[in-house]
Amino acid sequence: MTHTTGHACDTQDGNDNHGPGAASYPDFAWDDLYAGDGSDTAAPDLALLAPADGLPPGRALDLGCGAGGNALALAERGWRVTGVDLAPRAIASTRASACARGLDDRMDLAVADSAVWQPETVYGFALSSYALPPRGPARTATLATLATALAPGGILALGEWDEEACDWGKPGDLANLAELTEAFIGLGLDVVRAERQVVPRIQYPGEDHAVVVVARKPHDTLEATG
C-alpha cells in the first residue's frame, strides 16, 4: 500500500513518506530539480486544467504532480486532490505551498513512482502534466493507472512533449498522439480530443511542442470486483 502524507501541513519533511518505487529512475536525480520549500511551485497549466471546468468538484488525481501548481489550482476550485510524485522534494514543495495557501485539508500527497502506485479510490478528474516515464513497461503501467483511476464518466487530461516536433530528448522519452490515443482506447476510454500544440517552454524563453489528449471513461464501464 502506498503511504500518503495526509494533510499537507502534518509534517515539514516529505522524505519519510515514500511509497513503492520512489527510488526508481536511478539514471536521473529527479529530486535535484526541486527546492522542497514551495518556492518552485509554478503557475498552473490552465489549458490542461480546462477539461475539468465543466465537472462538479469531487476527487482529482495529479499523477506526477511536481511542485504542485496544477494540484493546488484544482484544490482552490474545490476539488480534493491526490498528488503523487517520485521526488520527495516535489511533494515537500507541494505541501509547503498548500500549507501557505490554507489548502492542506484538500490535499493528499504521496511520494511514489507512477509505474507502481495504485489508487485506493476513483477520481472524477485525472491529470498527467509532462510526467510520463520513458516508453516501455513503466509508461504502459502509468497509462493503465490513469485509466483505472477514473470513475465512470470521469475525465483524463494528459500533456506530453511531442517527439515528432521537439529536437531534444532521448529516443522513447517523449510521446506521440498515435501511441497515446491507441493506449487509451485499448484501456476502454473514449478519446474526446487529441491534438498537437505549440506551448511555452517551462524553463527557457521561446516555444516548444506538445501533444494533448483528453479522454473520458464511459458510464457503462464495468469495474472489476473482488
Side-chain angles (χ1 to χ4, degrees), residues 70-135:
N70 290 322
L72 291 163
L74 287 167
E76 287 172 340
R77 299 179 187 185
W79 293 82
R80 182 174 186 90
V81 185
T82 298
V84 181
D85 201 280
L86 59 81
R89 285 183 185 173
I91 292 299
S93 273
T94 301
R95 178 184 302 109
S97 294
C99 186
R101 300 182 195 185
L103 297 170
D104 52 293
D105 61 342
R106 292 190 174 277
M107 305 289 292
D108 298 301
L109 305 175
V111 178
D113 187 336
S114 64
V116 293
W117 179 83
Q118 291 296 312
E120 297 177 357
T121 186
V122 291
Y123 300 89
F125 183 66
L127 174 73
S128 176
S129 178
Y130 307 94
L132 287 181
R135 187 175 291 120

Side-chain angles (χ1 to χ4, degrees), residues 45 47-49 63-64 70 126-132 143 146 156-162 174-175 177 180 184 195 197 199 202 209-214:
D45 185 334
L48 207 56
L49 293 177
L63 191 59
N70 290 322
L127 174 73
S128 176
S129 178
Y130 307 94
L132 287 181
L143 295 175
L146 287 165
L156 164 66
L158 183 147
E160 194 50 73
W161 302 114
D162 184 355
L174 312 186
L177 281 181
L180 295 177
F184 287 137
E195 61 188 27
Q197 296 182 353
V199 296
I202 295 176
H209 302 268
V211 290
V212 174
V213 177
V214 178

Side-chain angles (χ1 to χ4, degrees), residues 14-86:
N15 293 341
D16 60 350
N17 293 290
H18 291 180
S24 292
Y25 305 93
D27 57 334
F28 191 89
W30 289 102
D31 215 34
D32 291 347
L33 296 178
Y34 299 98
D37 60 5
S39 63
D40 51 347
T41 297
D45 185 334
L46 297 180
L48 207 56
L49 293 177
D53 288 345
L55 300 175
R59 288 187 175 271
L61 169 66
D62 189 350
L63 191 59
C65 65
N70 290 322
L72 291 163
L74 287 167
E76 287 172 340
R77 299 179 187 185
W79 293 82
R80 182 174 186 90
V81 185
T82 298
V84 181
D85 201 280
L86 59 81

Side-chain angles (χ1 to χ4, degrees), residues 155-197:
I155 294 289
L156 164 66
L158 183 147
E160 194 50 73
W161 302 114
D162 184 355
E163 70 176 358
E164 297 180 12
C166 294
D167 59 1
W168 53 272
K170 298 178 182 178
D173 281 356
L174 312 186
N176 62 70
L177 281 181
E179 69 165 310
L180 295 177
T181 55
E182 289 173 6
F184 287 137
I185 290 171
L187 290 164
L189 304 186
D190 296 330
V191 174
V192 176
R193 178 163 60 90
E195 61 188 27
R196 300 170 72 185
Q197 296 182 353

